[in-house]
Amino acid sequence: MTNWIPLGDVSEIKPGSRKLYTLQGTEIAVFHVPNPDQSGSFYAIENSCPHQGASLIEGEGCGTEVNCPLHDWTFDVASGECLDFPEFPLTRFELKQEADLLLINGDAFAEAESRNLFLVRYSVMGWVDQFSAEVDAGYSHRDRVILQTSRGEEMGEILSPLESPDKNITPAGSILRELTPLDQEQLPGQGNVNTQVFGDCQQLIQERGMPTEIIDCEQLFDQQTVVLYYLGSRLPALEILAQELNARYPWRIVFHPVDEAPASSGCSSGGCGCDQK
């Protein structure tokens, strides 16, 4: 049975306006989209851009569309779709109206509360962030695990559980499972890939006189993505270079600045196209 939670009075949100609510530590943006033939429709989304967490209720828009105020990505609050980059959909919540009261489906929040959070170190850069796991997960210090991040499947190392996590912080991803002996067998071959891509990229950058220094390379555990870590500014030329390398190799090649950890729910580099909007 659905757990419907009252949000507020329908009259609080006039047609064409929006209102921010906070429920169980989650910011929820409710949009009242006018309809010429009816009184209008209400749509609820998490007030966090899936790219870099900007507040979407502050973005401009028309109808069901809203633009992120940070990078101007366009989202449809009715479908949850990102019109610029479909791989970054919104988190939506089901609403219903009873008399003059607006209610939200609370099952989504119950599901979120049934997960634990762990502090995990991951990537060759040694980033540390929060990752969610199933409520009965019993990981210990130094356990090696497989993570699902915005970049793909990666390896990580458990540092500690979080006893009192901040509900306002979005996890960087989820813990899929502990690293198995079979997983371990897949790792030795990745060194050759890193050496090949790293060398080719350095040569191309040198030939083109780009003010960028590649300092490390990492093939993710899923063997679908190779990340090149660089020093320097985000340049349009890096996006062009990534496209050329993607055509050359069977992997997805992305560039990532060494001084910026991946966003909790978004891109891992300028290669996602965020610099092009």
Side-chain angles (χ1 to χ4, degrees):
M1 183 176 179
T2 303
N3 175 30
W4 292 103
I5 301 175
L7 270 184
D9 197 287
V10 171
S11 62
E12 295 177 352
I13 317 174
K14 303 299 182 184
S17 66
R18 56 193 71 169
K19 184 175 175 63
L20 184 66
Y21 298 89
T22 300
L23 186 60
Q24 299 183 22
T26 300
E27 287 193 352
I28 302 164
V30 177
F31 294 75
H32 188 176
V33 180
N35 187 318
D37 302 322
Q38 301 175 5
S39 60
S41 300
F42 292 90
Y43 302 100
I45 63 168
E46 184 174 357
N47 186 42
S48 176
C49 176
H51 177 219
Q52 289 190 348
S55 173
L56 292 176
I57 203 168
E58 299 175 3
E60 297 181 355
C62 180
T64 61
E65 294 183 2
V66 62
N67 295 332
C68 173
L70 188 58
H71 289 111
D72 202 33
W73 289 15
T74 303
F75 297 91
D76 188 321
V77 297
S79 66
E81 180 184 6
C82 177
L83 304 184
D84 298 295
F85 303 100
E87 64 268 31
F88 295 98
L90 295 172
T91 298
R92 298 173 59 247
F93 301 98
E94 184 183 3
L95 294 175
K96 78 171 182 177
Q97 183 177 342
E98 286 187 354
D100 295 328
L101 194 62
L102 196 63
L103 301 99
I104 189 169
N105 187 341
D107 292 346
F109 301 96
E111 180 179 344
E113 289 186 342
S114 67
R115 303 180 73 83
N116 287 335
L117 288 178
F118 289 83
L119 204 60
V120 180
R121 179 166 51 217
Y122 69 109
S123 104
V124 296
M125 294 292 103
W127 285 311
V128 176
D129 213 329
Q130 300 181 19
F131 285 81
S132 63
E134 295 298 331
V135 67
D136 57 350
Y139 300 113
S140 302
H141 178 63
R142 295 289 189 181
D143 281 349
R144 301 181 72 189
V145 292
I146 304 300
L147 309 170
Q148 180 66 55
T149 74
S150 58
R151 310 192 302 181
E153 290 188 4
E154 307 188 43
M155 288 194 306
E157 182 181 51
I158 300 292
L159 296 180
S160 67
L162 292 174
E163 301 297 339
S164 301
D166 185 345
K167 292 185 177 180
N168 294 316
I169 296 179
T170 302
S174 58
I175 303 173
L176 299 179
R177 65 179 187 278
E178 192 168 358
L179 190 74
T180 67
L182 183 60
D183 293 331
Q184 188 72 35
E185 293 176 4
Q186 300 181 37
L187 304 181
Q190 296 184 8
N192 295 333
V193 172
N194 295 344
T195 300
Q196 182 182 3
V197 177
F198 186 82
D200 286 352
C201 184
Q202 279 191 318
Q203 181 178 348
L204 290 171
I205 285 177
Q206 184 176 8
E207 291 174 354
R208 300 176 188 189
M210 296 172 59
T212 303
E213 181 182 358
I214 304 298
I215 66 167
D216 212 338
C217 182
E218 174 185 23
Q219 185 181 31
L220 301 188
F221 173 78
D222 57 20
Q223 301 186 33
Q224 297 178 10
T225 302
V226 176
V227 184
L228 289 157
Y229 298 96
Y230 69 91
L231 290 172
S233 303
R234 293 181 183 267
L235 301 172
L238 280 179
E239 175 66 22
I240 296 173
L241 183 56
Q243 293 173 0
E244 294 180 12
L245 292 171
N246 283 329
R248 180 179 300 188
Y249 293 110
W251 312 290
R252 183 173 70 103
I253 310 295
V254 298
F255 289 91
H256 195 119
V258 299
D259 57 351
E260 181 181 316
S264 296
S265 305
C267 71
S268 60
S269 73
C272 73
C274 65
D275 294 333
Q276 300 179 20
K277 284 287 289 177

